[in-house]
């Protein structure tokens, strides 16, 4: 009875865990133009993989996992959302900035590389309409990577430095982009080499004096010349060296001065206007193919004849050709002379050289007396 109760409770626990894991939804509501970050914790999915091992067997696992995300009923993520995970033993991040209101249902799959089990979570993101921040600035942080910037603690550190630079606390992070997505190069696998990230922030307050120095002709001239531009006097608010910005890649965006988007095209009836009577094109004019015939046939033939004449001249008229012909004639004469000397010997030729030689008996048939040198072998045997 105890065994039966234990088995029953085990089955009920498994069913409850599977149902809760399948139906669990994580909901977020964010406005348009605000940076969104969601960290995929490996510990959360590890509890889904081994919920009963911790309760009964006391086992604790730290399995490598790979995260895969897609929009529900679609093969990939929305265009504004991205997934990054550096290593199977690292947490993953979903990040991006929505550009239009709407609702997105994201399916998150975690693949356990030890047991090859799969866990599934649902993430519901509702994007609400909101006015964009009118004044925005983008900074390039050279000594950072995207995975090291996405945690909220690091974002707060960067935000505090930029608040001092902007001289306001009403500052919001608009977007964070990996430099590789903006055409940057993959760094060398050495210490001190990083990919770099672009951080865009926005505010309702106008740009500070330190930021306005980016638009001065002297600053732009120094950046164009390729010189190493340092922070202007009194504008260095970098408390952590890895969070220092690159001044030559700083850009300011004033959305209040931007031109409005062009109006959308109007939809027509789909019927083409009457263009009159259709006039088909005339037949192409006749063409003379004799020049093509001369180029493709006559010219190669003339070249072949010239080469033959040149070869005959070299063989019969030049000294080298005459010597070659003389050597050839000499070889034939020497061959005939050797044959005559071999025929005048008193020693009878070997039986194997005689026609119709029989290797078993050693006898040879008399040669046929015929004037025709082309008598078939079968007729000679008969």
């Amino acid at each position: 009875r105890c065994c039966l109760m234990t088995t029953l409770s085990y089955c009920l626990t498994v069913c409850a865990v599977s149902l809760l894991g399948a139906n669990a939804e994580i909901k977020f509501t964010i406005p348009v133009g605000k940076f969104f970050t969601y960290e995929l914790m490996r510990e959360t999915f590890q509890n889904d993989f081994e919920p009963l091992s911790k309760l009964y067997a006391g086992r604790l696992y730290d399995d490598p996992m790979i995260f895969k995300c897609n929009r529900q009923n679609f093969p990939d993520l929305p265009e504004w959302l991205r997934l990054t995970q550096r290593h199977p033993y690292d947490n993953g991040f979903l990040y991006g900035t929505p550009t239009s209101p709407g609702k997105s249902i994201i399916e998150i799959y975690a693949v356990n590389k030890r047991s090859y089990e799969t866990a599934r979570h649902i993430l519901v993101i509702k994007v609400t309409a909101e006015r964009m921040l009118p004044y925005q600035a983008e900074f390039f942080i050279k000594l950072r990577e995207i995975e090291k910037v996405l945690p909220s603690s690091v974002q707060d550190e960067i935000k505090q430095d930029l608040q001092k630079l902007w001289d306001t606390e009403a500052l919001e992070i608009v977007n964070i982009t990996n430099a590789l997505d903006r055409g940057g190069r993959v760094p060398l696998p050495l210490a001190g080499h990083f990919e770099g990230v672009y951080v865009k922030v926005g505010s309702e307050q106008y740009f500070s004096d330190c930021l306005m120095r980016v638009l001065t002709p002297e600053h732009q001239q120094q950046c164009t010349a390729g010189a190493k531009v340092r922070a202007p006097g009194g504008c260095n608010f970098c408390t952590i060296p890895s969070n220092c910005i690159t001044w030559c890649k700083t850009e300011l965006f004033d959305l209040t001065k931007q031109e409005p988007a062009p109006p959308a095209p109007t939809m027509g009836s789909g019927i083409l206007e009457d263009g009159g009577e259709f006039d088909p094109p005339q037949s192409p004019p006749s063409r003379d193919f004799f020049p093509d015939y001369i180029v493709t046939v006559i010219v190669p033939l003339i070249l072949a004849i010239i080469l033959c004449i040149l070869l005959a001249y070299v063989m019969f008229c030049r000294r080298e050709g005459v010597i070659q012909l003389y050597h050839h004639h000499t070889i034939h004469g020497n061959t005939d002379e050797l044959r005559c000397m071999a025929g005048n010997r008193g020693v009878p030729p070997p039986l194997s050289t005689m026609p119709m030689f029989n290797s078993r008996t050693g006898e040879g048939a008399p040669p046929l007396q015929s004037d025709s040198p082309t008598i078939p072998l079968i007729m000679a045997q008969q």
Side-chain angles (χ1 to χ4, degrees):
R1 181 177 299 177
C2 293
C3 295
L4 180 60
M5 293 299 294
T6 303
T7 306
L8 181 60
S9 63
Y10 177 84
C11 295
L12 291 176
T13 305
V14 172
C15 295
V17 170
S18 61
L19 291 176
L20 289 175
N23 298 326
E25 291 185 358
I26 308 169
K27 298 182 179 180
F28 285 94
T29 302
I30 56 175
V32 173
K34 185 177 180 181
F35 185 65
F36 168 76
T37 307
Y38 179 70
E39 186 173 3
L40 305 177
M41 304 293 294
R42 294 174 56 253
E43 298 178 359
T44 304
F45 291 91
Q46 185 67 63
N47 295 332
D48 294 342
F49 290 135
E50 301 290 343
L52 300 178
S53 298
K54 294 181 181 180
L55 296 176
Y56 296 99
R59 299 176 182 174
L60 297 177
Y61 290 99
D62 186 18
D63 301 330
M65 301 179 191
I66 294 179
F67 295 102
K68 299 180 180 180
C69 303
N70 65 280
R71 189 178 177 184
Q72 193 174 34
N73 300 326
F74 289 89
D76 52 1
L77 290 170
E79 58 181 6
W80 62 270
L81 193 61
R82 294 183 179 180
L83 170 68
T84 181
Q85 184 186 15
R86 182 74 62 174
H87 192 270
Y89 283 98
D90 297 336
N91 294 335
F93 288 93
L94 281 171
Y95 68 99
T97 304
T99 56
S100 60
K103 181 179 179 182
S104 300
I105 301 177
I106 309 300
E107 296 178 341
I108 303 174
Y109 295 93
V111 182
N112 191 326
K113 299 298 290 182
R114 178 185 61 86
S115 60
Y116 293 97
E117 294 180 286
T118 303
R120 175 176 176 267
H121 286 188
I122 299 296
L123 179 65
V124 180
I125 304 175
K126 183 179 180 181
V127 182
T128 59
E130 188 172 325
R131 188 175 67 91
M132 301 284 290
L133 296 174
Y135 306 106
Q136 299 181 5
E138 188 177 61
F139 306 94
F140 178 68
I141 303 178
K142 183 179 180 181
L143 302 179
R144 281 293 189 179
E145 294 179 346
I146 189 66
E147 291 84 1
K148 305 300 181 182
V149 176
L150 293 178
S152 58
S153 59
V154 181
Q155 293 186 34
D156 293 337
E157 295 174 357
I158 298 175
K159 186 177 177 180
Q160 291 175 4
D161 293 342
L162 297 180
Q163 285 175 350
K164 297 177 182 179
L165 179 62
W166 202 306
D167 195 14
T168 180
E169 294 184 358
L171 200 67
E172 296 291 340
I173 294 180
V174 176
N175 193 13
I176 298 179
T177 309
N178 190 359
L180 298 181
D181 299 333
R182 302 279 294 270
R185 288 187 173 185
V186 178
L188 296 174
L190 300 175
H193 291 75
F194 302 92
E195 297 174 358
V197 293
Y198 288 90
V199 179
K200 180 182 283 189
V201 296
S203 176
E204 295 284 350
Q205 184 176 338
Y206 194 68
F207 305 112
S208 63
D209 296 337
C210 289
L211 293 177
M212 292 301 296
R213 294 185 184 182
V214 177
L215 303 179
T216 58
E218 294 81 8
H219 176 81
Q220 296 180 0
Q221 184 177 4
Q222 291 178 3
C223 294
T224 305
K228 186 177 181 180
V229 180
R230 297 182 178 180
C235 297
N236 188 9
F237 301 101
C238 181
T239 57
I240 302 177
S242 58
N243 293 339
C244 295
I245 64 174
T246 302
W247 283 91
C248 283
K249 293 186 178 181
T250 301
E251 297 184 14
L252 306 181
F253 304 93
D254 189 356
L255 301 185
T256 59
K257 297 182 180 180
Q258 291 186 355
E259 298 180 357
T266 57
M267 300 298 295
S269 61
I271 302 175
L272 296 177
E273 298 180 357
D274 186 13
E277 184 179 358
F278 176 69
D279 187 12
Q282 299 179 357
S283 60
S286 59
R287 179 181 174 184
D288 187 10
F289 293 96
F290 183 72
D292 298 338
Y293 174 77
I294 292 177
V295 173
T296 57
V297 178
I298 302 300
V299 173
L301 183 60
I302 293 175
L303 292 177
I305 293 174
I306 292 175
L307 291 176
C308 292
I309 294 174
L310 182 61
L311 180 61
Y313 170 75
V314 170
M315 291 298 298
F316 295 98
C317 300
R318 299 290 296 177
R319 179 174 178 272
E320 294 82 359
V322 174
I323 293 175
Q324 292 291 337
L325 293 176
Y326 177 75
H327 287 175
H328 185 69
H329 178 72
T330 305
I331 291 172
H332 276 280
N334 294 338
T335 303
D336 294 338
E337 184 178 358
L338 290 174
R339 288 178 179 176
C340 293
M341 294 174 63
N344 294 331
R345 291 178 181 176
V347 180
L351 295 177
S352 60
T353 60
M354 299 179 65
M356 303 304 295
F357 171 72
N358 192 338
S359 60
R360 291 180 296 175
T361 60
E363 297 179 356
L368 296 176
Q369 300 296 330
S370 175
D371 297 336
S372 176
T374 60
I375 298 178
L377 183 60
I378 300 300
M379 294 181 64
Q381 290 178 354
Q382 292 176 358

